[in-house]
Amino acid sequence: MNSAKCSSSSFMIASSCCQNPQSRKNILLAPKPFARIGYSSMIDALPKYNRKERKILVSSHLVPGHLDASGTRKKFLHEPVPKLEFVRTLLIDNYDSYTYNIYQELSIINGMPPVVIQNDEWTWEEVYHYLYEERAFDNIVVSPGPGSPTCPSDIGICLRLLLECPDIPILGVCLGHQALGYVHGAQVVHAPEPVHGRLSDIEHNGCQLFHEIPSGRNSGFKVVRYHSLVIDPKSLPKELIPIAWTSMAETLPFHGVGRSNSFINASKEVEDIFDGMLELSCDSKDLQSEKVLMGVMHSSRPHYGLQFHPESVATRHGRQLFKNFRKITEYYWLRLTSTSINERRVHYAACLQVPNVDPLPESVARHEHLLNKSIERRTAVVDGSLHLSHPGHSVKFLKMTWKKVDCSASQVGGADNIFCALFGDQKAKNSFWLDSSSTEKGRARFSFMGGKGGSLWKQLTFRLTNRNDRTCKGGGHLSVEDASGHVNNTFLEDGFFDYLNKELLSFCFDEKDYEGLPFDFYGGYIGYIGYDLKAECGVVSNRHRSKTPDACLFFTDNVVVIDHQCDDIYTLSLHEGNTSTTSHLRDVEQRLLNLKAFMSRRVRPQASQGSAVVALKSFFSAEKSREQYIRDIENCQAFIKEGESYELCLTTQMRIKLEEIDSLGLYRDLRERNPAPYAAWLNFSRENLSICCSSPERFLRLDRNAILEAKPIKGTIARGSTPKEDEFLKLQLEYSEKDQAENLMIVDLLRNDLGRVCEPGSVHVPHLMEIESYATVHTMVSTIRGRKRSDVSAIDCVRAAFPGGSMTGAPKLRSMELLDHLENCSRGIYSGCIGFFSYNQAFDLNIVIRTVVIHEGEASVGAGGAITALSDPDDEYEEMILKSRAPIKAVLEHQIFSSDTQKDMST
């Protein structure tokens, strides 16, 4: 958050002690409130961001005295204990996006999951009760988090824990480490430079926390750092012992700059350019002589702090550190003597020890749909059918029939011809097309398409309540149109995700219906969820209101599926009850068999050929000028420097007014110009809304085997104009420390999000920072997978990870709050997700990028990029323009082509 300016007797701390946007409790640990005496220029740049800037004068030797309340704590009794079968950890979450990576590690190492509470969730009386009366925990871990330990709303109850629990082992990570120093009188200051997602070699003193871990430069002990602030080692009191520090001042990229296999056949020109890039990488390092403090321990308490992140996927020996902390805990309790220590209860699940606490985060667990709280999901097999019902919702038994069409997709002209022939009439009203238009290297395999169909078809349209009403508790307005055109409007008190969850849990089905099918969508909901539904995922409000609905989905009961790998076509039909008919399947197959194999690429749906398209009269205008956007980047970097965020995904919008446009024709042009594995066309006619999406990024998928997968993209560079230049640019992206850091931050964030809902030990990263090439750009892509826990639903998984971390930054909640005040309009559909929710709870969702949204006579394109401490503002602006180029160019050229076609028709 803010730096500490030191003197011999006192230090200044400019702390953004805030009225927290998440309505956190402002736990004041000192008997008197801190005096507000000034504002920083960083906050002045964003006067509408509701954080109270304070400068606090605190005497370093008074901090423990202010907080000390040891007389109120009971003396802990001691006696020897046997080795603990399980270790029970209380994990304090400082509203971070990496806490559940620690949760996953501890679940494995401790033999049971920790209990997770946020730093303002329990009162001190509750903490005291469970620690000293119930004796429910063996140790405590204090998580990383945004901000500074000098700000009560950032650190919550953690300072009091560190001060008043001398007899319980505690490990503080990053912010928790800084809190350990601060509570004992050390000064928290700016680091020599903000370091996020970058690596360092570590030296240590060989204490028990680093048992069996190498030390020093090139020893193999490389760790990931996410911090802007540090403990000043010169201010350490005698109680705190430094135990670890960086072995050199400069940081290291995850992939070192070195020779690649790509150079086997590279030209001398490319080699020379790459050698220059290597020299530039070396020269750009600021070789400071001062090492940075990376770990401390208390001289008489079992309290440890680590500035780096042992839970990161790129930290070496991180699991060993957590194992060592378990051993420290066991050894500590073995040394104690107590007549009652054998009464310490060990349960299989930590959440059973503490009433009303779940191992899931508050933003997920407190919704009535989760775990054993206000929902009792029943799983039963009735007449061979799977039943996942929700109390209070009527059970719907669904029967699915399918047929493999007796011709290949290529024989009827491919996906484009199939869609236009089956669903392109009447301007493709109420139609969808989840379009794997780029299938190279197995990136995607199936396309799903359909329109308004059978009796089960319906459309859901959801709008959040007026966000200007601060007294509103949430929820929104849902409109449901059925197959006959009847519309029912209702208010959802508990929000859209809760409604959709109950809908999916109400379906009863027979798994045998889809045996033998190679894909995971068999009918269900298809559509989009807008970015502003983050308000149902932990962010309490949205500053901006979207012009488009916040969610629109079709329930589709008739689907055509194309298997691009095998060139097969399937047609599916969904019915309610035990009766079913195959007439629709036969009709679709006959239409496909009658379809001519070769159709002109420029043939449009019949009704849209004659639509009036006027000549281009205007061009795209940006929500912000270049100067404004660059100023926002600088504001992002100011927040990062103060520890408020590690990375902020800043975005903006470009818009153009259109009198009329053939939106399906535009999408067909876009998919040819910029094919993508997670492309989509959606047309919600009643809302006058069409979406032309060419996204290369998967947000989240859950297959029928309960495997969750995320594929975030972070790191983008333009393709070269020649093969040599293209290869160089690809290598430049691969070895860019900045892009590696961006990608790593989001990988760790997605690991955290999956860790909330996946089985302990199952979250892994099979592909890290791989380069994928598309028509206009190279991208850096990683893959994260895990196995979903049996006690969570599909919507639980989405809500735990939404919005996609690649569009927010980290820590996610604080970053979204900051972005809401930096950006001057709602992102709307952009940054949300498009995809399907199958009736059996499988789903596949993209990230809405590289997309044209056409709504009520206006086309909009969103674009942005991740801002880090290493960002160059001019480069970031150019990257944003690069990402918007393909969809904007498609709109402009389609308008010109349509105008020329109209002129030809009139002559």
Side-chain angles (χ1 to χ4, degrees):
M1 237 166 67
N2 293 289
S3 66
K5 300 178 181 179
C6 309
S7 67
S8 59
S9 62
S10 64
F11 58 98
M12 293 289 294
I13 304 172
S15 69
S16 298
C17 296
C18 61
Q19 177 184 342
N20 190 283
Q22 299 184 124
S23 300
R24 305 183 212 164
K25 300 173 185 175
N26 192 15
I27 301 175
L28 294 177
L29 302 176
K32 295 180 180 180
F34 295 140
R36 173 184 174 186
I37 61 174
Y39 291 87
S40 76
S41 59
M42 186 269 292
I43 297 294
D44 286 341
L46 293 170
K48 294 184 179 180
Y49 182 50
N50 189 23
R51 295 181 64 84
K52 297 178 182 178
E53 177 61 16
R54 302 176 181 176
K55 289 189 177 180
I56 307 156
L57 182 63
V58 183
S59 178
S60 60
H61 71 275
L62 289 179
V63 175
H66 275 280
L67 305 176
D68 191 9
S70 57
T72 64
R73 181 176 40 80
K74 296 179 180 178
K75 182 179 178 181
F76 201 83
L77 301 176
H78 306 290
E79 72 175 22
V81 294
K83 184 176 181 180
L84 301 176
E85 182 180 358
F86 302 105
V87 171
R88 304 160 303 166
T89 296
L90 176 63
L91 176 55
I92 310 295
D93 175 23
N94 288 305
Y95 289 86
D96 195 52
S97 289
Y98 300 149
T99 301
Y100 277 81
N101 296 332
I102 298 175
Y103 170 91
Q104 286 277 323
E105 288 293 321
L106 294 177
S107 297
I108 300 167
I109 291 161
N110 289 352
M112 63 187 302
V115 168
V116 183
I117 64 166
Q118 290 171 322
N119 64 21
D120 57 358
E121 191 168 348
W122 284 0
T123 65
W124 172 249
E125 289 72 22
E126 290 172 310
V127 171
Y128 176 85
H129 172 76
Y130 289 118
L131 289 177
Y132 290 106
E133 295 176 3
E134 294 292 329
R135 297 180 180 180
F137 301 103
D138 301 306
N139 63 24
I140 299 169
V141 174
V142 181
S143 86
S148 165
T150 67
C151 179
S153 62
D154 287 335
I155 199 64
I157 205 167
C158 298
L159 295 185
R160 194 163 186 179
L161 283 169
L162 289 163
L163 187 72
E164 300 196 31
C165 299
D167 43 13
I168 296 178
I170 300 178
L171 175 64
V173 178
C174 199
L175 182 65
H177 156 86
Q178 295 167 14
L180 177 60
Y182 176 71
V183 81
H184 291 289
Q187 299 167 7
V188 178
V189 300
H190 278 130
E193 64 169 332
V195 178
H196 299 106
R198 297 153 69 189
L199 284 71
S200 290
D201 284 325
I202 297 297
E203 297 177 10
H204 58 78
N205 69 350
C207 69
Q208 191 174 359
L209 188 64
F210 295 102
H211 180 61
E212 296 185 346
I213 295 175
S215 175
R217 187 170 184 174
N218 299 322
S219 67
F221 186 25
K222 289 182 171 60
V223 304
V224 176
R225 297 164 58 187
Y226 296 107
H227 66 101
S228 299
L229 308 177
V230 293
I231 296 174
D232 182 358
K234 298 176 183 177
S235 71
L236 283 178
K238 63 181 184 300
E239 306 98 282
L240 295 182
I241 302 169
I243 59 175
W245 47 91
T246 57
S247 60
M248 54 184 178
E250 64 268 26
T251 59
L252 305 167
F254 179 76
H255 292 305
V257 179
R259 295 293 176 180
S260 162
N261 291 334
S262 304
F263 280 99
I264 295 175
N265 299 314
S267 68
K268 181 64 167 59
E269 178 184 355
V270 173
E271 286 194 0
D272 289 343
I273 293 175
F274 192 75
D275 287 338
M277 188 173 74
L278 189 149
E279 293 174 6
L280 180 63
S281 175
C282 295
D283 293 342
S284 65
K285 295 293 185 183
D286 183 9
L287 302 180
Q288 304 171 35
S289 59
E290 186 176 353
K291 298 178 181 179
V292 180
L293 182 65
M294 286 285 115
V296 296
M297 64 178 288
H298 197 279
S299 59
S300 60
R301 301 178 177 187
H303 294 181
Y304 298 81
L306 296 173
Q307 180 62 77
F308 60 86
H309 284 239
E311 81 285 357
S312 172
V313 69
T315 290
R316 300 288 300 276
H317 305 289
R319 180 163 294 181
Q320 185 62 44
L321 278 163
F322 288 117
K323 287 180 179 178
N324 290 342
F325 183 58
R326 171 178 174 151
K327 291 177 182 177
I328 289 169
T329 300
E330 291 174 332
Y331 180 69
Y332 178 80
W333 291 116
L334 284 169
R335 290 171 51 221
L336 300 182
T337 59
S338 172
T339 57
S340 60
I341 197 69
N342 289 324
E343 297 176 4
R344 297 176 68 90
R345 297 184 298 277
V346 177
H347 299 287
Y348 176 74
C351 60
L352 299 179
Q353 301 168 21
V354 185
N356 302 319
V357 173
D358 274 315
L360 287 177
E362 182 181 24
S363 61
V364 177
R366 287 186 172 177
H367 294 282
E368 69 175 272
H369 72 289
L370 259 183
L371 296 181
N372 305 318
K373 287 220 167 183
S374 54
I375 176 174
E376 298 177 356
R377 186 185 313 163
R378 293 173 288 125
T379 303
V381 177
V382 181
D383 297 329
S385 65
L386 184 64
H387 182 194
L388 296 172
S389 68
H390 189 291
H393 265 239
S394 59
V395 175
K396 307 177 187 68
F397 180 83
L398 298 180
K399 180 70 176 175
M400 193 269 291
T401 55
W402 60 275
K403 182 175 179 59
K404 185 175 178 181
V405 178
D406 193 21
C407 66
S408 67
S410 59
Q411 286 177 323
V412 291
D416 183 75
N417 284 352
I418 293 171
F419 182 84
C420 289
L422 297 180
F423 311 108
D425 291 341
Q426 299 179 353
K427 300 183 181 180
K429 287 184 177 180
N430 300 312
S431 62
F432 65 87
W433 182 4
L434 303 185
D435 178 20
S436 297
S437 57
S438 174
T439 58
E440 294 86 356
K441 300 180 181 180
R443 291 172 183 157
R445 178 176 171 182
F446 303 102
S447 292
F448 305 91
M449 56 183 67
K452 191 170 182 179
S455 60
L456 298 182
W457 180 95
K458 60 183 175 182
Q459 178 183 323
L460 308 182
T461 304
F462 178 76
R463 286 180 169 85
L464 288 163
T465 54
N466 187 344
R467 271 133 295 184
N468 293 324
D469 181 3
R470 296 300 178 183
T471 64
C472 181
K473 296 181 179 180
H477 301 274
L478 178 70
S479 173
V480 181
E481 179 186 3
D482 62 22
S484 63
H486 178 263
V487 178
N488 181 51
N489 297 307
T490 187
F491 183 80
L492 300 180
E493 191 74 34
D494 297 317
F496 184 75
F497 279 124
D498 183 81
Y499 172 87
L500 191 58
N501 187 59
K502 292 174 181 177
E503 276 283 296
L504 292 172
L505 289 174
S506 70
F507 296 138
C508 184
F509 54 88
D510 190 341
E511 291 178 325
K512 294 181 181 179
D513 286 354
Y514 47 81
E515 283 183 358
L517 291 175
F519 43 85
D520 288 323
F521 182 61
Y522 319 115
Y525 287 103
I526 276 186
Y528 74 83
I529 296 171
Y531 176 78
D532 285 352
L533 275 187
K534 67 183 188 293
E536 296 187 10
C537 302
V539 178
V540 295
S541 65
N542 290 298
R543 183 166 176 254
H544 309 289
R545 187 174 182 84
S546 175
K547 296 178 182 178
T548 56
D550 293 296
C552 263
L553 297 102
F554 299 118
F555 185 89
T556 179
D557 48 4
N558 295 322
V559 187
V560 173
V561 186
I562 300 173
D563 182 345
H564 297 283
Q565 178 177 302
C566 300
D567 204 27
D568 293 329
I569 307 173
Y570 297 83
T571 179
L572 319 175
S573 188
L574 198 58
H575 306 271
E576 189 170 4
N578 290 317
T579 60
S580 63
T581 174
T582 60
S583 60
H584 174 76
L585 306 182
R586 291 194 301 269
D587 291 344
V588 172
E589 181 179 41
Q590 189 59 50
R591 291 180 66 184
L592 289 171
L593 292 175
N594 294 337
L595 184 62
K596 294 182 180 179
F598 299 101
M599 298 175 63
S600 169
R601 185 183 70 86
R602 286 296 177 184
V603 171
R604 296 287 190 265
Q606 184 174 358
S608 64
Q609 284 182 346
S611 61
V613 182
V614 299
L616 191 63
K617 294 182 179 179
S618 60
F619 295 91
F620 277 88
S621 60
E623 286 284 342
K624 292 190 176 181
S625 67
R626 179 189 181 99
E627 292 74 20
Q628 290 173 315
Y629 192 78
I630 288 177
R631 189 161 55 247
D632 284 344
I633 293 171
E634 293 168 347
N635 285 329
C636 287
Q637 291 180 311
F639 281 122
I640 290 168
K641 182 180 179 181
E642 302 305 323
E644 295 290 344
S645 178
Y646 316 143
E647 173 179 359
L648 288 161
C649 185
L650 180 68
T651 73
T652 189
Q653 300 261 342
M654 280 68 72
R655 307 179 190 278
I656 186 173
K657 287 291 184 181
L658 304 169
E659 294 188 14
E660 190 171 348
I661 189 170
D662 174 11
S663 53
L664 176 58
L666 169 62
Y667 174 69
R668 295 173 67 197
D669 287 344
L670 181 63
R671 72 186 296 272
E672 287 194 13
R673 180 187 306 279
N674 196 41
Y678 310 110
W681 151 267
L682 296 172
N683 188 12
F684 298 96
S685 303
R686 191 163 67 94
E687 303 299 327
N688 195 13
L689 172 64
S690 300
I691 303 169
C692 307
C693 176
S694 59
S695 174
E697 182 173 0
R698 167 175 281 150
F699 165 44
L700 200 61
R701 177 181 69 177
L702 175 65
D703 67 18
R704 57 184 165 186
N705 298 314
I707 300 301
L708 273 170
E709 178 183 278
K711 289 191 68 175
I713 290 176
K714 266 291 163 267
T716 303
I717 198 167
R719 298 293 300 263
S721 57
T722 66
K724 293 177 183 178
E725 182 189 22
D726 195 57
E727 178 65 16
F728 166 67
L729 291 170
K730 182 178 178 180
L731 290 167
Q732 182 178 324
L733 175 62
E734 182 179 356
Y735 291 103
S736 163
E737 183 178 12
K738 170 190 172 294
D739 290 299
Q740 290 176 29
E742 285 183 20
N743 198 281
L744 180 58
M745 281 186 262
I746 301 307
V747 168
D748 280 339
L749 188 157
L750 265 298
R751 290 174 59 237
N752 172 86
D753 291 350
L754 267 62
R756 293 175 166 188
V757 293
C758 285
E759 294 178 358
S762 69
V763 178
H764 61 289
V765 184
H767 306 288
L768 183 60
M769 301 184 198
E770 295 186 342
I771 305 300
E772 292 185 358
S773 299
Y774 294 90
T776 59
V777 296
H778 299 294
T779 61
M780 185 178 286
V781 186
S782 296
T783 304
I784 305 99
R785 293 189 185 125
R787 179 173 291 277
K788 181 184 75 68
R789 295 205 324 260
S790 60
D791 59 353
V792 298
S793 69
I795 300 301
D796 299 340
C797 297
V798 174
R799 182 149 43 186
F802 187 85
S806 62
M807 301 307 296
T808 64
K812 185 185 283 187
L813 291 181
R814 180 68 62 85
S815 296
M816 287 191 290
E817 291 164 359
L818 295 172
L819 290 166
D820 235 18
H821 289 264
L822 284 163
E823 298 174 358
N824 60 358
C825 66
S826 168
R827 296 187 185 182
I829 299 168
Y830 170 66
S831 299
C833 59
I834 292 173
F836 68 74
F837 293 93
S838 185
Y839 67 80
N840 68 336
Q841 296 220 20
F843 64 80
D844 199 353
L845 305 168
N846 75 4
I847 295 283
V848 181
I849 54 177
R850 320 292 197 270
T851 297
V852 182
V853 175
I854 303 170
H855 182 235
E856 296 181 347
E858 180 182 75
S860 62
V861 174
I867 310 303
T868 70
L870 295 177
S871 292
D872 177 90
D874 291 319
D875 290 345
E876 292 294 347
Y877 178 81
E878 293 303 323
E879 181 179 323
M880 181 273 292
I881 294 297
L882 169 67
K883 292 173 178 177
S884 66
R885 187 170 296 154
I888 285 177
K889 189 175 182 181
V891 173
L892 296 178
E893 293 192 358
H894 179 77
Q895 284 285 78
I896 294 171
F897 171 82
S898 300
S899 179
D900 291 344
T901 302
Q902 184 71 17
K903 289 178 181 177
D904 292 341
M905 293 174 62
S906 62
T907 57

